[in-house]
Amino acid sequence: MAKGLLIVNLGSPVSPQTKDVRRYLREFLSDQNVITMPKILWQPILRGFVLPFRSWRSATFYQHEWTQAGSPLIAYTQVTRDRLRQALPDWDVQMAMTYGGQYPIAASLQAMAARGDRPIVVIPLFPAYTQSTTKTILEKVAASGVKTLNVEHFYEQSAYQKLLAQQLDDAYIQGDYDAVIMSYHGIPTAMVRHGDPYQQACEATTAGVKRYLTKVPPAIVETCYQSKFGPVPWLKPYLRNRLVALAALGKRRVLVTTPSFVTDCLETLEENDVQNYQTFRANGGKVFKTVRPMNGSPAFCAFLATLAKEKVAAEVMRHDQAK
């Protein structure tokens, strides 16, 4: 009997073709943890307006980023899984995706349980908990019927914050930057008003990383949010608006890191490296550099392996104390 570890990422279309992107977006945007509008109102909008226009446009973006290994998000999650298998040779390490039909969560857990894995640790690859990502994962884990130990967030872990700080320091010394932006995936402000802890977690991440910086002046580090979708207010400042403002203020050399993304994806490769780069340059910016996500780095995988082992150890201690 082996211990089990399931890492879970968002997911990806099975191909960059419009029909597959449309199928993926329909599943993703039908999740009421993502779009909280009542289905009776949202589904006609989704099917009648959003999918017909967004699917082909998103497909062109996926085609730009697609590699021989497939979707970068899937490929880098596979790298993470494989390195975790090396770090945890006595564990059964698997990966799953929330959407897209590849590596389904419930089926992955049920197969692990059938092999006798016990305990099974689940780590969503989202450092901070939020309704629109982690909550759906935990719901699907619960629906599998398999008993698990869940790591709901790890943004507060000093080891993770040190990894982010080291990435920033290494990138910063390669250029002379006027501003360093920690850009997190945004969520609607309504979610925060209803108790979602995500904004607090993002701000705590930035504050924590600043404590471990040795090359980057903490005073030039700021927090922004990206990937806004729809007309409702999302967390601010919006990255794109801030880039325009920085250029206008004469801060024309910018370094951007994305702590809420642990693998490259549409938001890092297309939204930042192409669209936000173009926006910054068009408004007078000179240098726009991005720090790559963890992408299965050995140090990050070692951190995840330690996190899994600590989760099991804590459960053993809790069980012993309950006796």
Side-chain angles (χ1 to χ4, degrees), residues 65 72-73 261 263-271 293:
E65 70 168 70
L73 183 146
F261 302 96
T263 56
D264 268 319
C265 54
L266 212 62
E267 288 82 358
T268 61
L269 296 169
E270 175 64 31
E271 183 181 354

Side-chain angles (χ1 to χ4, degrees), residues 19 91 274:
K19 64 180 178 62
W91 290 53
V274 178

Side-chain angles (χ1 to χ4, degrees), residues 9-14 19-35 39 42-43 46-47 50-51 55 96-106 132 136 140:
N9 212 334
L10 188 73
S12 175
V14 296
K19 64 180 178 62
D20 291 324
V21 172
R22 181 187 179 97
R23 185 179 302 112
Y24 172 78
L25 289 176
R26 183 170 63 243
E27 180 187 8
F28 174 46
L29 296 176
S30 293
D31 184 348
Q32 288 201 285
N33 286 329
V34 176
I35 304 294
K39 287 184 178 181
W42 171 241
Q43 283 299 317
L46 175 64
R47 296 170 186 268
V50 176
L51 292 177
S55 297
M97 298 289 155
T98 312
Y99 312 105
Q102 304 174 85
Y103 306 100
I105 292 172
S132 56
T136 294
K140 292 190 174 189

Side-chain angles (χ1 to χ4, degrees), residues 40 82 136 143 186 190 272:
I40 194 170
D82 293 346
T136 294
N272 283 346

Side-chain angles (χ1 to χ4, degrees), residues 199-265:
Q199 182 179 20
Q200 178 275 328
C202 293
E203 292 172 355
T205 302
T206 299
V209 169
K210 284 183 178 182
R211 289 197 295 268
Y212 298 114
L213 293 171
T214 60
K215 307 296 183 184
V216 182
I220 71 169
V221 179
E222 57 186 274
T223 295
C224 285
Y225 298 93
Q226 63 178 87
S227 311
K228 182 182 183 298
F229 173 78
V232 300
W234 280 39
L235 293 177
K236 295 180 179 179
Y238 300 140
L239 174 59
R240 191 162 301 182
N241 293 356
R242 184 57 180 156
L243 290 171
V244 172
L246 285 170
L249 291 169
K251 296 183 177 182
R252 298 194 171 105
R253 302 176 66 88
V254 173
L255 180 65
V256 177
T257 188
T258 51
S260 53
F261 302 96
V262 302
T263 56
D264 268 319
C265 54

Side-chain angles (χ1 to χ4, degrees), residues 306-321:
T306 299
L307 199 62
K309 289 187 285 188
E310 288 177 347
K311 188 67 175 178
V312 171
E315 177 64 15
V316 170
M317 182 178 296
R318 187 195 68 79
H319 186 266
D320 289 345
Q321 290 174 344

